Each structure stands twice: as C-alpha cells, then as structure tokens.
Amino acid sequence: MSDRAIDIDRPQRPAPTSPPGAPPEVGARGRGPWLVSAATTVTLLLLAGRYGYHRDELYFLLAGRHLDWGYVDQGPLVPALARLLDTIAPGNLVVLRTPSALLAGVAVLLVAAIARELGGGRGAQTFAAVLAALSGIVLASGHLLSTTTVALLVWLAAVWCAVRLLRTGDSRWALGIGLALGVGMLSKLLPALLAVGLIAGVLIAGPRRLLRDRWVLAAAGVAVLLAAPNLIWQAAHGFPQLGVAASISDGDSSYSGRVDALTLQFVIISPYAVPIWIAGLVALLRRPAWRAYRAVGWAWLVVVGIVLIAGGKGYYDAPLLLVLTAAGVLVTIAWASRGSIRLRRGLLVLGVVPFLLPNIVLLLPVLPAERLPGFVVDVNYDSGETIGWPAFADSLAAVHSGLSPEERSRAVILTGNYGEAGAVARYGPARGLPRAYSGHNSMVDFGRPPADADVVIAVGWERPDPLNAWFETCTLAGRVDQQVEVENDENGGPIHVCRGLRRPWAQIWDTEVRHTG
C-alpha cells in the first residue's frame, strides 16, 4: 500500500478559530465510523444473553414495578425503561440489554463526530471510533442496562453540541446541550457535574459572553424543566442521592475511593489511549488554532478534580476522557505522519493487541462462566455480579424447604442488598420462595414485611450482629453456593434463620433496617 493510500496518512488540519457566521471546514464524512459503530452494537447484542442479570438490572426491574418520579439513588428513566422492556419480552435478557447496545453504538459515532468537528478527516474519525469502541467505558456500559450507559450518551451528546457551538459561534447549539443534560438528569443527577465543568471552562478560557447569551440561558431553562420531576422528588425527600454519594465517598461501593478513581483514569479507556488523550488535553489547552475549544479541556480538569476531591467513582468523567481521546487522535495522526513514518505507524498498530483487544476479554462475557479466571473479576468486578443468581435462589430454597410447614407459612426473606432482593423476585416464585424485603436504598420504600412475619431467612450479612438486635435468635442455616468459583458479594455468604421479633417491623424498618450505598 502506498504512503498516500488512505486519509490517515495525511496530517489533519485542525479547525481554526473563526468568527460567528463563518465556520471553518470540518473533516469529510466517511463510512468508517458507521461500520465501527455497527460492529460494536452487533457484538454487544451477540453477547448480551451470556452469563446473567447484573445486580443493578435486577434492582431496575424491581424499581420498575414501583414507578415513581425519583428513587433514593437514581431518577425514573432506567426503571421505567426496564419495566417497558420486561413487559415487551418478560425475562428476556437480550431485549433488556438492547438499548444499551444501541446507545454504545451511538456513543462511538459521537466520538468520531467530535473528531470531525475538530478537523479530523476520514482516517482520524475511524481511528477515534475504534478507540471508543474498544474502550472500557463503552464495552462495559454497553453490555448492561445501566444508568452509566445513559450518562455516556448524554455527556457525549452535550459535548458534541458544545464543540459545534464553540466552532461556529452559533449559540443555538446550547439548546442541544440543555436537552441532553435535562434528559440525563432523569436518570442520575450527574449531568449537573458536566454542566459545572462546562461553565467553569467558559469562565476560565472563554468566551464568557456565552454566559449571558439568551440561547444559553434558554438551554439552562430547558435542562431544569426536563429534570424538574426528579429534582422535585429529590427535594421532597431530602435529596437522598446526596446520602448515597456520601456512602460512595466513604468507599462503600465498587470503583469508589480517591485512589481507585485516580487509577481508573488510566485504564477506563485503555492504557493504549492514555498518551493519546493526554496529547489531546495538551492540544486543547495550548494549541493556538484550538483556542476556541479550551473550555472543553478545562471542563475535564474541573470535573475530574471534583470527582477526586469528593471521592466519587472514577468513571464519572470517562465520557470527557473519550472527548480528549478524539482530540488526541488528530495529534497522534500528525505525529505518525512525520519522521520515521513506518516506525511510528508500526508502534500504533502493535499497541492494539496488548493494550486494546484485552478489553474484550476482560469486559465482555466471552469466557465460560464456570471457568472465569480470577483476574477477570479483579479487573472487572461487575462480571462476577452477573454470575450465579439462579443458584443463589436455589441456596435460599434449600433453607426454606428445611423449615416446618407452619414456619414456612409466615416466613419472609430479608436481604442485605437490592440485588439479592431482585434475584428472589426474579427466580423465587418458581422455587416456592416467599417475598424478599430489603432496607437497601429505595428497596426500603417498596414495602416492609407483614407484622406477623417473625420467621426470617436473612442473607447478605457476613456477621449476624445487626440481626441479633432485631430478632431473639439467629442461627446459621446454610451458605450461598453459586455452583461456580467466582468472587462476588454473594458466593459463600451465610444464610441465617431468625425467629422472634424483638420489636415490631414498623419500629425498626425506617430507623434501623434502612441503609444506603
């Protein structure tokens, strides 16, 4: 192949700063990003039915049975979507995860579109799409129905509109930002963090006139109007999401804690992409021709600073890392087109196998669940949370069947977390299990046990101390056996049978059983 056979061989001209009404040329459109996007969605759909439900998906299905304008830890969007999908195809995991696969494909297109806005040609757009498609955040969130998938699309759509606004000077694009943020806050309140980052970026790097622009102010109104149902619910209930955020800050969640959050910045896209997104950040902040886009670079610095200081989860800012990667692609292609061209391009190609392709094995269910290596769960904790839920229900059923008929008639299940309660709701009826209750997050608001339920099968407590405060006796009756060697929050956990309430459920449910995290 000749040195000028494809666009990636040509240095890409960055988009210069231009006055309103005279936008510079952007890169030519190509089919490459569309093909990469389609391949991403198809791959995710083909693997969607492997392993099983994630604990969060089981929770979304339960929350969907109790539709509301808000929940302790989220907005109404994903539970409503889960209910719709489960109504269309009850118990169908592929259908439940189809929206995530589609949104992941759109996210890939948006990353390529941002590269195009910055002046990237067909090769740059395709390279940006490939990096996005193989990134940890796209693969992991695209495999599961989650609020993270929604956030990924919302943040990328908002930033794409912001880059369009900054490139053209047409502030009407702010309405797209407001629309994306408003819809996003119906899932989680985290898009407000992006809004803070963008506003701070404009204050630091300009153009500050945007903060007085009527279209920008209208966009803020659109965002607040769309988010109002969830915001009103949160306000009426004392903003419980802040309590959940505090628990996350204390390390009471996966991928949380300042050290983990900092480490995740260097692996959430891929180690391969680290020098690329760093180059993109430097270019956004220092390249004269990209002066108009400096607010975007500062937005990431502000957002990641807030995440690290507040102790948030390290993937909160991952969509902005994809934006920096899109910018870095242009810098990387220009670098690969100078000096020892074959050597530099060879280094780029050789890095794909050890640094990009492993993401597929680590983040998608391509290995047999019964022989899942421990290092996969160490890297991707969520993979372990999708294995063994039917066997978890079997373990509870074995304990339940050991009760006397009289005790079974008034027994209930009390779980330590919402995933366990969701698993009982999904798999319990076929095994004759009673209803499961939990005080975890919004589960506490879905109902408490009947007043006469004084025989409890309790699961999810490694130590029985809290149970002993609620019941007269608690005995170890079994352990969870998920039939595979996998490290997660359930496998091998104790199952207690507790009898005799010390105080009525009404007295302890909201004050002692309730917990967030």
Side-chain angles (χ1 to χ4, degrees):
M1 183 177 290
S2 69
D3 284 345
R4 298 185 63 80
I6 53 176
D7 266 357
I8 195 171
D9 296 337
R10 302 189 185 102
Q12 305 298 317
R13 183 179 65 187
T17 305
S18 61
E25 293 183 4
V26 295
R29 296 183 186 275
R31 291 182 298 175
W34 290 91
L35 295 175
V36 176
S37 171
T40 302
T41 295
V42 169
T43 300
L44 291 169
L45 287 174
L46 290 174
L47 296 172
R50 287 178 59 82
Y51 296 3
Y53 290 93
H54 187 272
R55 72 167 64 253
D56 289 353
E57 292 172 319
L58 294 167
Y59 177 43
F60 297 145
L61 289 169
L62 268 180
R65 299 180 186 178
H66 301 83
L67 288 178
D68 204 342
W69 283 113
Y71 300 88
V72 167
D73 47 3
Q74 62 185 304
L77 183 59
V78 175
L81 181 59
R83 176 167 177 169
L84 173 63
L85 296 168
D86 198 52
T87 300
I88 294 172
N92 191 310
L93 193 56
V94 175
V95 172
L96 185 71
R97 292 174 173 172
T98 293
S100 295
L102 295 173
L103 293 181
V106 176
V108 169
L109 287 177
L110 283 170
V111 173
I114 291 169
R116 179 174 180 268
E117 288 297 319
L118 296 173
R122 293 186 179 91
Q125 294 168 47
T126 302
F127 189 22
V130 169
L131 290 176
L134 294 175
S135 69
I137 186 63
V138 169
L139 291 177
S141 66
H143 174 58
L144 307 172
L145 178 67
S146 70
T147 56
T148 304
T149 320
V150 175
L152 176 66
L153 185 70
V154 163
W155 284 48
L156 288 174
V159 174
W160 177 72
C161 290
V163 171
R164 292 277 294 182
L165 186 160
L166 294 170
R167 181 180 66 81
T168 65
D170 186 350
S171 58
R172 288 175 294 182
W173 282 102
L175 294 176
I177 302 174
L179 178 63
L181 296 180
V183 171
M185 283 194 287
L186 288 176
S187 175
K188 286 273 194 176
L189 297 182
L190 279 174
L193 180 60
L194 174 60
V196 170
L198 290 174
I199 292 171
V202 170
L203 280 171
I204 294 169
R208 296 185 184 89
R209 60 173 177 79
L210 288 176
L211 301 180
R212 303 187 302 273
D213 188 277
R214 61 191 179 100
W215 290 108
V216 174
L217 296 176
V222 168
V224 172
L225 182 64
L226 289 172
N230 187 26
L231 292 173
I232 293 171
W233 189 96
Q234 288 289 325
H237 292 79
F239 280 96
Q241 278 199 37
L242 297 180
V244 176
S247 298
I248 292 172
S249 179
D250 291 337
D252 186 23
S253 183
S254 57
Y255 311 115
S256 64
R258 293 173 179 83
V259 174
D260 287 346
L262 180 61
T263 302
L264 209 56
Q265 304 305 307
F266 300 97
V267 297
I268 190 66
I269 307 301
S270 75
Y272 176 92
V274 170
I276 296 176
W277 68 253
I278 290 177
L281 174 64
V282 172
L284 285 170
L285 296 178
R286 299 188 62 180
R287 180 176 283 188
W290 282 1
R291 183 178 180 84
Y293 309 122
R294 287 183 183 174
V296 176
W298 278 106
W300 176 76
L301 289 171
V302 170
V303 168
V304 76
I306 293 173
V307 169
L308 293 176
I309 292 171
K313 294 193 177 186
Y315 59 76
Y316 288 168
D317 64 298
L320 285 178
L321 283 177
L322 284 175
V323 174
L324 299 184
T325 301
V329 161
L330 276 71
V331 180
T332 303
I333 288 179
W335 171 83
S337 301
R338 297 193 302 267
S340 303
I341 294 177
R342 294 185 184 277
L343 175 61
R344 295 185 179 196
R345 292 175 187 167
L347 289 174
L348 289 178
V349 173
L350 289 175
V352 170
V353 175
F355 292 113
L356 275 177
L357 295 183
N359 276 354
I360 296 175
V361 176
L362 294 172
L363 301 173
L364 295 180
V366 297
L367 300 176
E370 62 274 12
R371 293 194 299 274
L372 188 66
F375 70 83
V376 173
V377 180
D378 290 340
V379 174
N380 177 23
Y381 181 77
D382 285 334
S383 63
E385 297 300 317
T386 61
I387 295 173
W389 289 113
F392 168 83
D394 288 337
S395 300
L396 294 178
V399 173
H400 182 252
S401 65
L403 300 177
S404 68
E406 192 273 333
E407 284 189 321
R408 284 201 298 270
S409 67
R410 65 180 195 275
V412 296
I413 296 174
L414 183 66
T415 74
N417 67 60
Y418 55 60
E420 296 160 345
V424 175
R426 171 69 180 85
Y427 299 107
R431 292 163 173 79
L433 289 175
R435 177 178 170 180
Y437 299 85
S438 179
H440 189 202
N441 289 5
S442 278
M443 284 296 308
V444 74
D445 299 317
F446 298 163
R448 62 173 181 257
D452 61 348
D454 60 349
V455 178
V456 171
I457 300 172
V459 64
W461 282 270
E462 285 294 330
R463 298 175 59 85
D465 298 353
L467 301 174
N468 289 330
W470 303 331
F471 304 99
E472 293 178 0
T473 63
C474 282
T475 58
L476 182 65
R479 289 192 175 273
V480 174
D481 182 4
Q482 294 184 308
Q483 305 298 316
V484 293
E485 292 293 331
V486 62
E487 290 288 337
N488 58 29
D489 285 353
E490 278 65 47
N491 210 10
I495 304 174
H496 293 91
V497 172
C498 301
R499 297 175 175 89
L501 277 169
R502 295 184 183 275
R503 287 164 291 157
W505 287 110
Q507 291 183 13
I508 66 173
W509 191 248
D510 285 327
T511 57
E512 298 180 37
V513 181
R514 178 189 292 271
H515 63 283
T516 61

